[in-house]
Amino acid sequence: PTIFNRQFSKGRKPGENMSKLVVFESLMSLTGANADSRLRVRPSQTLDVVMGLLNEIVVVRKLGKYASDSAVAHVLSGFAKAAQETGADFGEIAEQLWKNRGQSLVLAGGLSAGTENSAAIQSAVAFLNTVLDNDGKTVTFSGGKAKAGMGELLAAIHSGAVSTLIIHGCNPAYSLPPSAKFAEALSKTSMVIYSGDRGDETARFADIVATDHHAMENWGDIQAGTSVSIQQPTIRPLYDTRAFQDSLLKWGQATGKSKALTADTW
C-alpha cells in the first residue's frame, strides 16, 4: 500500500505544510524511489501490512469509532504480529496517520492487485481510510454514475433495444462481476465492435476488433478538473492499427453512403 499524509511541522509558518509518502512494495517503483520511507515486503504480505496498521490504531491504541467494537477487534487481533513479521514500525506510521486523519490517503495496487487476496486488500484499505476519517475528504465516491450507466446499458441490451454495441477503452468482460451476465447480454446483440490495443477478454466476444493505437502512438485530449490539455504521440504506430477516433470518423462517413459497409470500410 501507499500512504500519503500531510504533516504540519513546528517552526513552519501558518499555512505552510509538507507531505510525507510511505510506500510498502516488493520491487522498486518510481513511487517508491521518491518516497520518504520505503519498506520492502512480499506481495503476499500486503494484507498483513494494512491489517497490522488497523490493529495498531484500533486495538492497540484504541483510537476511532471502532475501538469499542469487539467484532472488529477480534478480526484485527489476528494480525498482532504483522509488524514483527514484516519488519515495519507500525507505531510511528499509525501515530502520523492518526495525527493527520482526514488529510491522509491509503492506496493499494501494483503486484498485490494480482494476488488471491486482492479483494480483501482493497476492502482493508477502504476500512483504514474510513477509520482515518478520510471518507468524503481525501476519498470521494464519484463512480456511482458510471456503475448506474452500465446497469442501464445491460438492461437495454437484455430487452433487445441495442442491436450494435461499440466498446472502447475498457474490458467489461473481465471487470464486471459474473452476476452482470455480460457475455449473455452480448449474445443478444446483432454486432459487437471492440476497439482496443490487445486481445483481452472482451475482444474475444467481439464480431469485429478494430485494433486501436497504443496510447503512446495516439493523439488525444486529457481533462483534469477544469484543465484541458492535448495528448501528443511519442512514436509512430508500430503495426497496422488505427486510432479509435479515426475509426469513428470513418464509420460516420460510411453511414452517409447508400451502399452497405464493406470489409474495406473497416
Side-chain angles (χ1 to χ4, degrees), residues 78-181:
F79 296 86
K81 296 183 179 180
Q84 178 182 348
E85 294 171 352
T86 59
D89 184 358
F90 288 161
E92 180 183 357
I93 298 174
E95 180 179 355
Q96 293 174 354
L97 285 173
W98 186 253
K99 185 185 299 183
N100 297 282
R101 59 190 181 278
Q103 295 181 311
S104 59
L105 178 64
V106 184
L107 304 171
L111 292 176
S112 62
T115 67
E116 60 182 5
N117 293 326
S118 58
I121 292 170
Q122 296 297 337
S123 297
V125 166
F127 183 52
L128 179 53
N129 278 309
T130 297
V131 169
L132 295 172
D133 296 328
N134 291 334
D135 293 343
K137 299 171 184 176
T138 59
V139 178
T140 58
F141 306 94
S142 59
K145 293 182 179 179
K147 294 179 181 178
M150 178 58 72
E152 294 172 359
L153 173 62
L154 290 172
I157 295 175
H158 282 294
S159 69
V162 178
S163 59
T164 300
L165 179 65
I166 300 176
I167 303 173
H168 169 67
C170 58
N171 185 8
Y174 175 81
S175 59
L176 289 178
S179 59
K181 299 181 179 180

Side-chain angles (χ1 to χ4, degrees), residues 26-260:
S26 304
L27 302 176
M28 176 66 76
S29 66
L30 286 175
T31 304
N34 288 278
D36 297 286
S37 179
R38 176 181 179 272
L39 299 94
R40 292 183 61 189
V41 296
R42 296 191 299 272
S44 60
Q45 292 179 312
T46 303
L47 181 61
D48 296 336
V49 169
V50 183
M51 296 296 282
L53 277 170
L54 279 165
N55 179 73
E56 179 68 28
I57 295 172
V58 177
V59 179
V60 178
R61 297 173 182 259
K62 300 186 182 304
L63 300 172
K65 58 185 178 182
Y66 295 95
S68 59
D69 192 316
S70 59
V72 172
H74 175 71
V75 173
L76 296 181
S77 60
F79 296 86
K81 296 183 179 180
Q84 178 182 348
E85 294 171 352
T86 59
D89 184 358
F90 288 161
E92 180 183 357
I93 298 174
E95 180 179 355
Q96 293 174 354
L97 285 173
W98 186 253
K99 185 185 299 183
N100 297 282
R101 59 190 181 278
Q103 295 181 311
S104 59
L105 178 64
V106 184
L107 304 171
L111 292 176
S112 62
T115 67
E116 60 182 5
N117 293 326
S118 58
I121 292 170
Q122 296 297 337
S123 297
V125 166
F127 183 52
L128 179 53
N129 278 309
T130 297
V131 169
L132 295 172
D133 296 328
N134 291 334
D135 293 343
K137 299 171 184 176
T138 59
V139 178
T140 58
F141 306 94
S142 59
K145 293 182 179 179
K147 294 179 181 178
M150 178 58 72
E152 294 172 359
L153 173 62
L154 290 172
I157 295 175
H158 282 294
S159 69
V162 178
S163 59
T164 300
L165 179 65
I166 300 176
I167 303 173
H168 169 67
C170 58
N171 185 8
Y174 175 81
S175 59
L176 289 178
S179 59
K181 299 181 179 180
F182 182 72
E184 179 182 334
L186 292 185
S187 66
K188 296 183 179 181
T189 62
S190 301
M191 178 178 292
V192 177
I193 303 170
Y194 178 68
S195 176
D197 63 354
R198 66 199 65 195
D200 56 25
E201 290 80 2
T202 301
R204 297 168 190 169
F205 289 100
D207 299 294
I208 296 174
V209 176
T211 311
D212 189 18
H213 290 333
H214 185 274
M216 296 181 67
E217 304 170 336
N218 205 7
W219 287 92
D221 55 81
I222 302 172
Q223 181 173 357
T226 58
S227 300
V228 180
S229 181
I230 299 297
Q231 171 188 320
Q232 183 175 351
T234 57
I235 59 174
R236 292 180 179 274
L238 299 177
Y239 304 101
D240 186 17
T241 58
R242 183 171 66 192
F244 175 66
Q245 295 86 342
D246 289 335
S247 292
L248 286 178
L249 291 173
K250 186 76 171 179
W251 302 337
Q253 293 171 355
T255 57
K257 299 179 181 180
S258 58
K259 63 181 182 180

